Structures are given as structure tokens and as C-alpha cells.
């Protein structure tokens, strides 16, 4: 079992956006945290190698969990195909060095830490059993029971990413947390993250100069459409309502409407 830590900063869904990652890593409570956990989708974006190098610089403090986009980048880099609709993914995969591919291929899923005030905490990307399926803050209890089925009852806290929208909710006595996204936030520009400390969860938000961040991505990436990509995703052009409408059908809910 992992030795107990007292404070964990949780980031997710960086998607190759270095300037917002830098802003979040500079937060005093992130600097002071015992561990920095990143719950997947690290590099599928315009600055993939730069982001991975920055995460490596955290050393043993960092715990990186595999996301679906990480898995798919590995497949692309090794000559496979992907279902990722964003055209930046094949470009990002082509930028990866051998050590980057090896890093992403070796990421754990899920991962676990013992955190003071929480006990055993499970960190995953989408759900504990799968790195791609969808569960939302307003998903039914039946859907939550399905995706959390099989977990050891002693794991009373689950932290996930994937849907890029922060939330905290109880699910039949189990605390479920999504820190939101660093690089592709839905609903609010800036870096969303979470702090687990002394039994308390805090959803945090790091504001950034959005225009400066877009310019930094454009200047720091060789991706031909880097500025266009950043202007859509770094600025949070897609709202949380847009995202919920898009993701809702994937959590098993009835979206047929009245007959």
C-alpha cells in the first residue's frame, strides 16, 4: 500500500497546452503539494513534447495516469489508427520521441494513493474500468453504480477527468471528483484543478491572460493550425452546456424525448 500523503494537487486533460500548465504549476498550493496527479490526456495537442518534458521535470512528485488520448497517441506513433476527431492528434503523435512514446505506453490505469483524511483514493481518466466511457455530474445513480461496480468498498474517493468539466458529488457515499481541464476547458477559460488536503476537496481555478496564452501556444508550436486550435479550446469557446449536450448520449441516458 502507498505511504500516506497529506496534500495532492490533481490536474487533468492538459492536451499539450504548456502556458496554462505553467500557470497552474506555479500556484503555491500546487508547489507545496506532496504529489501532483495528472489524470490523463497529457499530450494530444499543439505542444506535446514540451508538456511531457515539463511533467518529467516534476520528478517523483508527479503521478501520471493514462488517458484515452495518450493510448491513441501511442497507437498512432506506432503506425496504428485512432478515433480521435481532432486533427491535431496525428500531428502530435508524429512529434513524439521514442522516450515520449515509451512514457505514455507505460502509464498506469488506474492508480491509487493513500491520502490523509480520504484513505485510499483511486485516480482514473474516464471511469475506473475504462479510459473512454462517459459519466457526468448529472448521470443517474444507476449509471454511476455501473461504472463504479467492482471497486473495493474501502476506496471511498474516485478522481477522474475526461469530460473537461469540474465537479464534486457524492454517489451512494462515495466521493467522486473531476478537476476539470487544463488545456481544453468547457465553460470557463483558464486552468481548472483540484486540491485534496486534510479530508477536504477544493475545486480550484487559475485565471490566465487568454490572449497571451493563445499567442504563446501559436508561437511555441509547429502545428500549422496552432492558433486556430488554441482560439477554440484555450478560450473555452465550447461551453459546459455544449459539452453536456454532446456527452449526454454517451452515458446511457434516454435522449429520445417525447414521442
Amino acid at each position: 500500500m502507498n505511504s500516506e500523503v497529506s496534500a495532492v494537487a490533481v490536474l487533468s486533460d492538459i492536451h499539450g497546452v504548456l502556458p496554462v500548465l505553467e500557470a497552474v504549476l506555479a500556484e503555491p498550493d500546487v508547489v507545496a503539494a506532496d504529489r501532483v496527479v495528472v489524470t490523463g490526456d497529457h499530450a494530444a495537442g499543439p505542444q506535446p513534447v514540451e508538456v511531457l518534458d515539463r511533467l518529467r521535470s516534476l520528478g517523483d512528485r508527479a503521478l501520471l495516469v493514462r488517458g484515452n488520448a495518450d493510448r491513441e497517441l501511442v497507437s498512432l506513433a506506432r503506425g496504428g489508427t485512432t478515433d480521435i476527431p481532432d486533427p491535431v492528434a496525428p500531428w502530435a503523435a508524429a512529434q513524439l520521441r521514442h522516450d515520449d512514446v515509451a512514457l505514455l505506453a507505460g502509464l498506469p490505469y488506474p492508480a491509487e494513493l493513500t491520502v490523509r483524511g480520504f484513505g485510499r483514493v483511486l485516480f482514473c481518466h474516464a471511469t475506473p474500468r475504462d479510459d473512454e466511457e462517459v459519466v457526468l455530474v448529472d448521470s443517474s445513480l444507476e449509471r454511476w453504480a455501473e461504472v463504479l461496480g467492482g471497486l473495493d468498498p474501502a476506496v471511498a474517493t474516485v478522481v477522474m477527468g475526461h469530460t473537461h468539466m469540474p465537479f464534486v458529488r457524492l454517489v451512494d457515499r462515495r466521493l467522486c471528483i473531476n478537476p476539470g481541464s487544463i488545456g481544453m476547458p468547457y465553460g470557463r477559460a483558464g486552468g481548472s484543478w483540484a486540491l485534496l488536503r486534510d479530508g477536504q476537496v477544493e475545486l480550484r481555478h487559475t485565471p490566465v491572460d487568454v490572449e497571451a496564452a493563445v499567442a504563446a501556444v501559436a508561437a511555441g508550436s509547429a502545428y500549422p493550425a496552432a492558433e486556430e486550435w488554441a482560439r477554440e479550446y484555450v478560450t473555452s469557446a465550447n461551453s459546459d452546456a455544449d459539452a453536456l449536450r454532446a456527452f449526454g448520449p454517451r452515458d446511457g441516458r434516454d435522449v429520445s424525448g417525447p414521442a
Side-chain angles (χ1 to χ4, degrees), residues 25-45:
L25 291 178
E27 290 275 13
D29 282 334
V30 177
V31 173
D34 301 301
R35 301 295 300 271
V36 177
V37 179
V38 190
T39 57
D41 285 9
H42 313 294

Side-chain angles (χ1 to χ4, degrees), residues 176-192:
C176 294
I177 304 160
N178 191 318
S181 174
I182 299 296
M184 296 176 69
Y186 295 144
R188 188 184 188 192
S192 293

Side-chain angles (χ1 to χ4, degrees), residues 60-150:
D60 292 340
R61 289 182 63 226
L63 172 58
L64 309 184
V65 178
R66 187 192 77 227
N68 65 296
D70 305 313
R71 170 175 50 79
E72 291 170 325
L73 284 186
V74 171
S75 176
L76 285 167
R78 292 176 172 173
T81 59
T82 178
D83 293 328
I84 299 177
D86 190 343
V88 77
W91 177 88
Q95 311 311 304
L96 299 179
R97 305 166 305 210
H98 291 302
D99 60 327
D100 299 322
V101 177
L103 171 66
L104 294 178
L107 295 180
Y109 198 91
E112 187 177 312
L113 292 175
T114 302
V115 184
R116 183 179 306 160
F118 293 91
R120 293 169 58 190
V121 180
L122 190 81
F123 298 90
C124 59
H125 182 61
T127 70
R129 67 182 187 177
D130 187 273
D131 66 13
E132 196 168 17
E133 66 182 350
V134 167
V135 67
L136 300 164
V137 65
D138 63 343
S139 293
S140 68
L141 283 173
E142 291 76 16
R143 172 63 172 173
W144 278 100
E146 176 189 357
V147 302
L148 299 178

